[in-house]
Amino acid sequence: MASPLILLTLFLLPLVQSQTPTAPAPSPTGPINLTNILITGGQFTSFLRLLNETQVLTQLPNQLNNSNQGMTLFAPTDNAFMNLPSGTLNNLSPDKKVKLVLYHVLPKFYSMDDLVTVSNPVQTQAGSEHGSLGLNFSGRANQVNVSTGVVETQINNALRKDFPLAVYVVDKVLLPLEFTEAPAPEGASTPPKGKGATAPSSPTADAGGDGSSPGTNGGGKRVDMGVGLVGGVIGLFCMVFL
Ligand SMILES: *[C@@H]1O[C@H](CO)[C@@H](O)[C@H](O)[C@H]1NC(C)=O
Ligand SMILES: *[C@@H]1O[C@H](CO)[C@@H](O)[C@H](O)[C@H]1NC(C)=O
Ligand SMILES: *[C@@H]1O[C@H](CO)[C@@H](O)[C@H](O)[C@H]1NC(C)=O
Ligand SMILES: *[C@@H]1O[C@H](CO)[C@@H](O)[C@H](O)[C@H]1NC(C)=O
Ligand SMILES: *[C@@H]1O[C@H](CO)[C@@H](O)[C@H](O)[C@H]1NC(C)=O
């Protein structure tokens, strides 16, 4: 009776293996939670607040859903906001705040490689009307700069890099040229209240990789099914064998 058992084991082994949870494929079309992406990024409190305040946070997922081109978002760190000349945000009208946020959005998905070869200037969501408010890109793979004409900075990390949404970290707020051409803001009349008490001495960049952690597990059920199947096969095998 020993050898049939061994045979049985040998026979079943591959079957058991094939039934263990095959890495659950993260559905590429699953809902994208931008809030979650930015929270997970750990240093985007100010940007998140601005996105929320301007309602872009709620509009963007809808636009994304209705687009077959995807989108690209540049997310300035909290440091980037802290390094703005004081009062910059508070001196912006609500409309201009929206414009500023949309200037960080490209209505198309660009991989890092795409950005190297894209033809300048690239239209942003802020400038669909007159063709101003574009961004320029230069560099080579993994070393891409973005320029507004007044601000240039390197894109050095991606919070998310899979179609349909790319989210790149920038350590400067992308101020449009036309914002600085406007007459100088009158004094610091309003007390700065935009910046929360949270000045995270956060890990400098490098959360590395894309934020898309493949949803873990869901394998439990499959294991059960596997066991059931194995049991059935054992029965069958024994019947045949005897
Ligand atoms: C997105 O993620 C945030 C933070 O993790 C959560 O509070 C929110 O409910 C999520 N929204 C959706 C639509 O799942
Ligand atoms: C967005 O702002 C509303 C209030 O204006 C607040 O209740 C909500 O928690 C904010 N959401 C995020 C993700 O910051
Ligand atoms: C996305 O669009 C599809 C139809 O195109 C719709 O069924 C779905 O509810 C939309 N999802 C969101 C989150 O808007
Ligand atoms: C962007 O690039 C275009 C084409 O090379 C150039 O004409 C334009 O001046 C540049 N704009 C900025 C803001 O650098
Ligand atoms: C990218 O921008 C940085 C400044 O942030 C500059 O020092 C560097 O030379 C630029 N690189 C390229 C390839 O333009």
Side-chain angles (χ1 to χ4, degrees):
M1 204 54 194
S3 69
L5 253 175
I6 290 166
L7 259 176
L8 192 76
T9 315
L10 287 177
F11 171 72
L12 289 175
L13 203 60
L15 209 145
V16 170
Q17 274 169 351
S18 75
Q19 286 300 324
T20 50
T22 50
S27 81
T29 50
I32 291 171
N33 187 331
L34 184 56
T35 305
N36 202 28
I37 292 171
L38 291 173
I39 288 178
T40 306
Q43 47 177 342
F44 302 95
T45 313
S46 305
F47 190 48
L48 199 49
R49 190 185 302 128
L50 193 59
L51 280 168
N52 191 26
E53 183 185 334
T54 54
Q55 318 230 319
V56 175
L57 191 62
T58 48
Q59 287 162 11
L60 205 125
N62 290 332
Q63 288 176 21
L64 196 57
N65 196 27
N66 294 323
S67 159
N68 52 17
Q69 304 249 68
M71 289 183 137
T72 302
L73 177 70
F74 298 98
T77 59
D78 287 331
N79 251 325
F81 280 95
M82 276 191 284
N83 289 333
L84 281 177
S86 78
T88 303
L89 275 192
N90 289 324
N91 286 328
L92 294 178
S93 65
D95 278 357
K96 281 212 154 178
K97 277 188 185 172
V98 172
K99 211 171 197 181
L100 177 64
V101 172
L102 293 181
Y103 191 55
H104 290 71
V105 182
L106 307 179
K108 189 173 184 301
F109 171 87
Y110 293 98
S111 71
M112 210 70 147
D113 288 344
D114 293 338
L115 289 177
V116 175
T117 55
V118 81
S119 76
N120 290 322
V122 176
Q123 206 54 247
T124 66
Q125 283 285 83
S128 43
E129 287 169 33
H130 335 78
S132 66
L133 288 166
L135 287 171
N136 278 2
F137 296 89
S138 60
R140 41 187 186 282
N142 297 320
Q143 230 278 4
V144 183
N145 275 15
V146 55
S147 166
T148 72
V150 284
V151 171
E152 175 168 28
T153 190
Q154 199 176 312
I155 301 167
N156 43 25
N157 195 15
L159 295 179
R160 191 182 197 282
K161 56 186 172 189
D162 299 317
F163 187 86
L165 178 69
V167 182
Y168 298 111
V169 177
V170 286
D171 56 16
K172 285 181 187 162
V173 177
L174 304 178
L175 283 178
L177 189 57
E178 70 166 53
F179 277 30
T180 57
E181 278 167 347
E186 66 270 53
S189 52
T190 45
K193 61 160 196 164
K195 307 208 167 79
T198 46
S201 55
S202 60
T204 38
D206 273 8
D210 51 19
S212 59
S213 59
T216 38
N217 251 335
K221 218 173 214 162
R222 266 183 255 182
V223 171
D224 287 350
M225 280 168 58
V227 170
L229 192 68
V230 169
V233 171
I234 289 177
L236 197 76
F237 191 90
C238 289
M239 277 172 65
V240 169
F241 209 83
L242 294 175

